[in-house]
Amino acid sequence: MPMPHRTFAALAKRRLVGKEGRERIREVQALLAELPDYKNGPYADLRKTLLAEVEDTRVRSGALHRDSIAVRREGAAQIALVGPPNVGKSSVLQALSEIQIKTGDYAFTTLRPIPALTRIGGVLVQLVEIPGLIAGAAEDRGGGRALLGVLRSADAIVFCARAGADPAELAVVRAEVAAAGIDTPAVIAMTRADEAGPGARDRLVTAFPDLEVVPVSVLDEASLEAIRSTIWRLTGLIRVRLRSNGVTEDEPLALHPPATVEQVADSVHHDLAASFSGARIWGASARFDGQRVGRDHVVEDGDVVEILR
Ligand SMILES: Nc1nc2c(ncn2[C@@H]2O[C@H](COP(=O)(O)OP(=O)(O)OP(=O)(O)O)[C@@H](O)[C@H]2O)c(=O)[nH]1
Ligand SMILES: [Mg+2]
């Protein structure tokens, strides 16, 4: 039985006293998450009031207006970390990158999408934590629409589910993502895997048979390496390295397959793509080392390409 709506309203009021800005929005979001999910009646009205409160607070504080939620794209691909509160999204983001962010053992530590760059096999990939997607997000509950807007531009999603948690928690989030019409490639990271009891992974596999489940613990470097490879596969990109004067560059180029030698040249410089005469190839797409190919030759992951001027 949920508590009577008047009691909830009084409690909400009490919890918001003296809070402003981020702190107030965090409290409102927590209240929204606790609010029974009635579509009509006093609880629905209360939800409207609370949602208006989020808007008002954002306008008042100026710091959290809609635009500030946007994430500038960087790197070769953008991968979103999405999941229920407190599953360890920020911790994974932090472990995979070099940024310092707030983590906490309570829900809604993160209020806005947080981007971080990570290098995978020499290529920069942008990870973005999407916080606070709760039931009703697709109808803008908890500011969900703006968050889903950020998610929409991601190339792939890593759904995060805490090891041992009820898979239904992630199912709620996934349903909101689906309701928003977002259907990008995805996997599930089973977070806090060091705390996993027996059968934790199997329960997730059973609940989400269509998605790969990868256990991750920020305390286990090998599991972080595994999620890195999984993320790379999710991007769908291939890596090629350039060679000139007999020297192969360390930093690979990332390309969307199928990619031709012309596209390789173009990603170096548009002028080069217009003027080059062909290429030499080493790697999977070459019949032999240093094979001479034309501009339409299709490269493969791991190839080394020497553009001939
Ligand atoms: N044992 C263990 N604890 C973890 C791991 N990852 C995160 N935690 C803990 O889980 C709690 C939540 O971590 P956060 O990274 O803040 O989780 P979040 O999903 O970003 O949370 P919100 O932003 O509030 O939604 C913190 O107390 C972390 O220390 C892990 O791999 N193992
Ligand atoms: Mg967080």
Side-chain angles (χ1 to χ4, degrees), residues 76-77 118-125 225-243 248-260 263-264 267 281-286 298-306:
T118 186
R119 197 176 280 279
I120 310 180
V123 178
L124 285 175
V125 173
E225 224 16 79
I227 193 75
R228 267 201 190 89
S229 327
T230 305
I231 288 172
W232 178 256
R233 246 190 306 113
L234 270 178
T235 67
L237 294 167
I238 60 169
R239 282 172 285 231
V240 304
R241 284 183 300 150
L242 292 171
R243 177 179 154 126
T248 303
E249 284 180 19
D250 286 334
E251 278 217 13
L253 294 171
L255 298 160
H256 284 283
T260 61
Q263 282 163 292
V264 175
S267 67
I281 300 279
W282 290 256
S285 81
V298 175
V299 293
E300 285 181 38
D301 189 36
D303 277 1
V304 170
V305 179
E306 181 172 21

Side-chain angles (χ1 to χ4, degrees), residues 89-90 102 109-110 129:
K89 301 180 294 297
S90 294
K102 225 169 158 180
T109 315
T110 309
E129 175 182 359

Side-chain angles (χ1 to χ4, degrees), residues 78-80 82 151-152 154-159 174 177 182-188 210-212 230-236:
Q78 189 184 61
I79 309 292
V82 183
L151 184 57
R152 200 178 300 282
D155 299 306
I157 298 175
V158 175
F159 284 108
R174 228 191 141 192
V177 172
I182 298 168
D183 182 27
T184 33
V187 296
I188 294 178
D210 56 325
L211 295 180
E212 181 185 345
T230 305
I231 288 172
W232 178 256
R233 246 190 306 113
L234 270 178
T235 67

